[in-house]
Amino acid sequence: HRRSEPPGMHGNGIHHVNVNGSLYPAKVKSRRQMWDVQPSEMANNTLNPIRAIVDGMKLTPNPDKPMIALSIGDPTVFGNLPTDDAVLQAMKDAIDSQKFNGYAPSVGYLQSRQAVANFYSCPEAPLQAEDVILTSGCSQAIELVINVFCNPGDNILVPCPGFSLYKTLAVSMGIKVKLYNLLPEKSWEIDLQHMESLIDERTSCLIVTNPSNPCGSVFKKEHLQKILKVASKHCVPILADEIYSDMVFPGCNSSSLASLSSDVPILSCGGLAKRWLVPGWRMGWILIHDRNNIFGSEIRQGLVKLSQRILGACTVVQGALESILNNTPERFYRDTISFLQSNSEICFNELSTVPGLNPVMPSGAMYLMVGIEMERFPDFKDDVDFTERLVTEQSVFCLPASAFEYPNFFRIVVTVPEEMMVEACIRIREFCQHYHRPPSSDCNDLDQ
């Protein structure tokens, strides 16, 4: 060998590799001259709209007033809404059994999937274990569904205002998001005409969130049937985000979308996070509601393959799942909903009489949206400015609805202790009274 070249390399820059006695010339790639490690396009295209807005806000509370955060969609933050003892006991038993320390099948243990199927099955939408895939939280369920339905260049229909994760996931995968409007004057029903106008040949999925984050709305049965009619007409499958299913106030009907569907196939996403008040346990699921074998084996197989990317949900929580679903007392669910309704009514009633604010009474979930008549608050340029100053002066943090691509509103989370909710409303009233400007007087307008 020449001294200047490594062994096995000849002067022509060709490696001679002996494989099964044959010689294969292979050109050596020119090596990089310097380090250049860049994040991928997918990483660069992953953007959380809430973080994008909140991180840009100057959030310095008034040091004379303790902070009240009405912005975080985590019911456990203040410690006033603990999960039920039966839920905790189920987890303790699962750990003590030492049966759930290894890998489970990527779609989840059969017994745990059967427990979810039994819990949600109804005559109009029957479920078996094979119709359930367990996921790492409802967020992963949503990701799997978008992944199984969509190719880069496809588009999905997403509610506006709506949960920001849909867009975060879709855009990072090269999927276009089309926003359909919800109507605050109709308790946030879908503008069906607008939604239908967005559908084209590349629309691969319609996302319906019911009950709603961020609106707290619950669609009536007749409205759900109209949504299904549009999906049926255009042959578009539905991702039903039903993480807040059954978290509805008394007197409101909460039908699952699948229970009303005769011909539209639906993948319903849910989980333990909100109804059982354990969002950190990361237990979600996909319920496969096929109709007329439209999904067939292909969509099912696609979901199984995608689930293998992270080898499934936490096995200890899976081990506790059957007991959690079967042994949580009805009283626990009732008490949670009663608290959320009471806080929602306090907040709605208080803010309804604040000049320049227009709250929309929710029917479920754990949120309430408040409209801001921005023309009455000329000191602020938008909802972000308004909520930022509310923190600076009153130490109350509400999420500006620009984070949901719906300006001139803010979202309140109603899971805080009652006395904090009352105090927050008092401070919001004080803030608005200070900055509110009545309409300019007009001699032709007798009301002014």
Side-chain angles (χ1 to χ4, degrees), residues 61-93:
N62 181 338
D64 298 329
K65 298 190 177 190
M67 183 71 169
I68 301 176
L70 304 178
S71 55
I72 308 161
D74 180 347
T76 70
V77 167
F78 296 97
N80 60 314
L81 288 174
T83 191
D84 191 75
D85 287 344
V87 177
L88 298 176
Q89 192 58 50
M91 276 290 272
K92 291 170 187 172
D93 292 346

Side-chain angles (χ1 to χ4, degrees), residues 122 124-125 224 228 254-262 266 289 291:
C122 64
E124 303 79 18
L224 292 170
L228 287 166
S254 158
S255 303
S256 74
L257 207 50
S259 70
L260 303 173
S261 176
S262 58
I266 294 167
H289 295 283
R291 294 293 179 268

Side-chain angles (χ1 to χ4, degrees), residues 341-406:
Q341 182 179 24
S342 172
N343 254 6
S344 297
E345 287 172 348
I346 288 168
C347 185
F348 176 79
N349 291 334
E350 285 298 316
L351 299 187
S352 289
T353 59
V354 173
L357 296 187
N358 297 304
V360 182
M361 181 63 195
S363 302
M366 39 189 240
Y367 311 101
L368 181 149
M369 287 278 275
V370 182
I372 315 165
E373 296 174 18
M374 290 307 304
E375 68 278 8
R376 300 282 171 262
F377 298 99
D379 291 78
F380 310 113
K381 61 178 183 286
D382 55 23
D383 56 314
V384 178
D385 193 20
F386 181 97
T387 50
E388 187 176 87
R389 293 275 285 281
L390 186 56
V391 172
T392 307
E393 298 183 21
Q394 296 289 347
S395 298
V396 174
F397 184 27
C398 304
L399 200 61
S402 287
F404 308 107
E405 305 198 60
Y406 205 80

